[in-house]
């Protein structure tokens, strides 16, 4: 079975010879070849150059023969296209220099035409498809709520007080921004499908900071609104800390649900039925011995069952991850070709 069929079938809940495998942040600093390209450039420089983005997108595909690539970029290119100045300070993560704090800040946001304002990812998708036609490539965007978090807070945060203050004191303002973001995110995902993405993933990294009633009020409608604009390829929804919301995730309208590593896969299956799932090895498990990685991979695949499962980590691979851990994970998933045929 070729990788296009394997990934496409798994994302649609159709039979496969074994689960396809790719992993979040697979192009990144744990790879010496990535660090080499990164030398003398900022991360955002790399995101702005489709030749460089394509080169690093290819790196993990060539090294590990993953069943999919994910286009190299960042979720914060959308806020940038809307008028927020974004930089990455070494060791500190992203910084957004004009955060949304007042009504005037919100009024100043632009509604970009995504094809004009965000041309690099569609270009990278086309270049990748020309250079590695045998491997499917996924597109992505941040979910409206996660983007709102960064845009209001001005960077990462432990408790997201400014964001929660907006939800509590100015809910109409928050909804206005979320609606605008949902439309831009939806259009951007559709642009990626139209540029040849085999599927798209929406990253709602920070949705898990909300209580369930707030999640239903702020996250759910904006995800539904964004995903409703996307046709023609499977849409994957990923949230960190999604255990408390498992029973609600069907309502997002996503075709595939990403699971973080704290979710019990058998329980997710029970909640989600035949809805395809993606995940969910703990990224830190890759620091353990190969035999432990192998056991964990097989346990996840056994619990997920042979149909409707895309193997992935439960969150992005971390910069200090040993390459041998990644190799052990990929090899174990590929062993499923014989076990699932039994
Ligand atoms: O999965 C992939 O390989 C696709 C590319 C991708 C990146 N970031 C590359 C990246 C994707 C899908 C993202 C998503 C992203 N970016 C999220 C949501 C998913 C998640 O991981 O929770 C968030 C919250 C961001 C914002 C962001 N970008 C953060 C918090 C950081 C870490 C900052 C740091 O210094 O560690 C980034 C940087 C980033 N994004 C890197 C990569 C490869 C590292 C860049 C570098 O310094 O070389």
């Amino acid at each position: 079975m070729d990788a296009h069929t394997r990934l496409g079938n798994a994302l649609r809940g159709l039979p496969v010879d074994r689960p396809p495998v790719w992993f979040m942040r697979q192009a990144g600093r744990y790879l010496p070849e990535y660090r080499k390209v990164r030398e003398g450039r900022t991360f955002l420089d790399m995101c702005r150059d489709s030749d460089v983005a394509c080169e690093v997108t290819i790196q993990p595909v060539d090294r590990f023969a993953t069943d999919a690539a994910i286009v190299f970029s960042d979720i914060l290119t959308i806020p940038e296209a809307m008028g927020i100045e974004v930089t990455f300070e070494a060791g500190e993560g992203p910084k957004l220099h004009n955060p949304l704090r007042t009504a005037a800040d919100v009024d100043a946001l632009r509604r970009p035409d995504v094809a004009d304002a965000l041309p690099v990812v569609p270009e990278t998708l086309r270049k990748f498809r020309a250079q590695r036609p045998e491997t499917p490539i996924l597109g992505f965007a941040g979910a409206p709520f996660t983007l709102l978090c960064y845009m209001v807070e001005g960077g990462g945060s432990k408790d997201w007080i400014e964001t929660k203050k907006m939800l509590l004191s100015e809910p109409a303002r928050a909804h206005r921004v979320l609606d605008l973001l949902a439309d831009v995110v939806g259009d951007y995902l559709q642009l990626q499908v139209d540029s040849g993405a085999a599927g798209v993933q929406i990253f709602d990294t920070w949705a898990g900071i909300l209580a369930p009633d707030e999640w239903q009020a702020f996250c759910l409608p904006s995800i539904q609104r964004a995903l409703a604009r996307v046709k023609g390829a499977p849409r994957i929804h990923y949230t960190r800390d999604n255990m408390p919301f498992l029973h609600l995730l069907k309502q997002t309208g996503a075709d595939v649900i990403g699971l973080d590593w704290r979710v019990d896969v058998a329980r997710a299956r029970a909640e989600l039925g035949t809805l395809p799932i993606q995940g969910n090895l703990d990224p830190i498990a890759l620091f353990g011995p190969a035999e432990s990685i192998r056991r964990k991979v097989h346990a996840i695949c056994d619990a997920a069952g042979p149909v409707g499962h895309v193997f992935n980590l439960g969150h992005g691979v971390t910069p200090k991850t040993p390459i041998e851990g990644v190799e052990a994970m990929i090899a174990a998933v590929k062993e499923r070709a014989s076990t699932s045929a039994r």
Side-chain angles (χ1 to χ4, degrees), residues 82 84 96-109 147-148 150-154 162-163 166 173 177 181:
M82 294 172 75
I84 306 256
L96 291 80
H97 296 265
N98 44 334
L100 303 179
R101 295 289 165 83
T102 65
D105 296 334
V106 172
D107 290 337
L109 284 176
L147 296 179
L148 180 81
Y150 284 104
M151 290 162 78
V152 173
E153 214 70 34
E162 292 301 327
T163 309
M166 185 189 276
R173 187 181 298 164
V177 184
L181 283 167

Side-chain angles (χ1 to χ4, degrees), residues 25-26 29 34 38 43 73-74 88 150 203 205 315:
R25 293 264 175 99
Q26 65 184 24
R29 285 168 293 190
Y34 173 91
R38 173 82 158 75
F43 167 61
S73 183
D74 198 74
F88 280 82
Y150 284 104
F203 285 86
T205 306
H315 195 207

Side-chain angles (χ1 to χ4, degrees), residues 22-29 34 38 43 46 70-76 88-89 91-94 140 146 150 203 205-206 238 240 315-316 319:
W22 71 277
F23 52 101
M24 293 183 271
R25 293 264 175 99
Q26 65 184 24
R29 285 168 293 190
Y34 173 91
R38 173 82 158 75
F43 167 61
M46 292 172 71
I70 181 160
V71 68
F72 185 83
S73 183
D74 198 74
I75 62 167
L76 298 176
F88 280 82
E89 321 286 327
E92 281 178 47
F140 72 87
T146 288
Y150 284 104
F203 285 86
T205 306
W206 296 112
Y238 170 80
R240 232 179 121 214
H315 195 207

Side-chain angles (χ1 to χ4, degrees), residues 19 46 76 90 95 115-116 126-127 132-133 214 216 219 231 240 247 266 268 286 316:
M46 292 172 71
L76 298 176
K95 196 161 168 16
D116 289 342
R126 281 192 286 274
K127 287 180 181 171
R132 291 296 180 277
E214 294 170 328
Q216 282 191 283
C219 275
K231 308 266 181 322
R240 232 179 121 214
H247 60 296
L286 301 180

Side-chain angles (χ1 to χ4, degrees), residues 23-327:
F23 52 101
M24 293 183 271
R25 293 264 175 99
Q26 65 184 24
R29 285 168 293 190
Y30 74 105
L31 285 177
E33 57 269 36
Y34 173 91
R35 293 196 298 268
K36 190 145 178 276
V37 176
R38 173 82 158 75
E39 258 170 43
R41 291 189 172 93
T42 70
F43 167 61
L44 286 176
D45 289 341
M46 292 172 71
C47 295
R48 288 179 188 129
D49 181 329
S50 61
D51 287 319
V52 174
C54 184
E55 182 183 351
V56 297
T57 300
I58 287 173
Q59 287 175 346
V61 172
D62 284 359
R63 188 188 260 270
F64 304 115
T66 54
D67 294 299
I70 181 160
V71 68
F72 185 83
S73 183
D74 198 74
I75 62 167
L76 298 176
T77 57
I78 284 186
E80 202 179 31
M82 294 172 75
I84 306 256
E85 192 201 334
V86 181
T87 55
F88 280 82
E89 321 286 327
E92 281 178 47
K95 196 161 168 16
L96 291 80
H97 296 265
N98 44 334
L100 303 179
R101 295 289 165 83
T102 65
D105 296 334
V106 172
D107 290 337
L109 284 176
R110 283 198 295 271
R111 160 98 201 244
D113 177 286
V114 291
D116 289 342
L118 297 160
V120 181
V121 159
E123 266 166 39
T124 308
L125 289 166
R126 281 192 286 274
K127 287 180 181 171
F128 180 88
R129 289 174 61 226
Q131 293 178 39
R132 291 296 180 277
E134 64 286 359
T135 305
I137 181 160
L138 300 167
F140 72 87
F145 179 72
T146 288
L147 296 179
L148 180 81
C149 286
Y150 284 104
M151 290 162 78
V152 173
E153 214 70 34
S157 170
K158 199 159 83 57
D159 36 28
W160 301 95
I161 290 173
E162 292 301 327
T163 309
K164 288 189 173 180
K165 266 166 59 184
M166 185 189 276
L167 305 187
L168 295 165
S169 314
E170 301 288 348
R173 187 181 298 164
H175 279 297
R176 222 177 110 210
V177 184
L178 287 166
D179 285 351
L180 174 61
L181 283 167
D183 292 346
V184 177
V185 165
D187 289 351
Y188 189 45
L189 293 175
Q190 186 64 51
L191 175 68
Q192 296 178 59
V193 173
D194 295 341
S195 308
V200 286
Q201 176 156 324
I202 190 158
F203 285 86
D204 213 350
T205 306
W206 296 112
I209 66 169
L210 295 177
D213 62 323
E214 294 170 328
W215 186 85
Q216 282 191 283
F218 293 101
C219 275
L220 183 60
S222 56
I223 289 167
Q224 289 169 329
R225 181 167 170 148
L227 291 183
R229 295 175 87 88
V230 187
K231 308 266 181 322
R235 301 152 310 155
I236 309 165
H237 174 267
Y238 170 80
T239 312
R240 232 179 121 214
D241 298 318
N242 57 2
M243 184 84 146
F245 309 111
L246 262 188
H247 60 296
L248 301 171
L249 291 173
K250 266 188 195 164
Q251 296 175 40
T252 58
D255 303 299
V256 181
I257 300 296
L259 304 174
D260 103 359
W261 69 96
R262 289 153 293 192
V263 176
D264 180 88
V265 178
R267 201 173 131 196
R269 263 289 178 244
E271 286 291 354
L272 299 170
T274 56
L275 196 60
I277 54 178
Q278 176 174 276
N280 75 341
L281 184 69
D282 180 355
I284 306 306
L286 301 180
F287 290 78
E291 191 43 39
S292 131
I293 295 169
R294 184 172 175 273
R295 264 200 317 275
K296 287 177 189 291
V297 168
H298 283 286
I300 288 168
C301 294
D302 286 342
V307 176
H309 177 219
V310 176
F311 195 90
N312 205 309
L313 295 172
H315 195 207
V317 69
T318 64
K320 294 202 168 70
T321 302
I323 304 276
E324 310 82 70
V326 176
E327 288 168 346

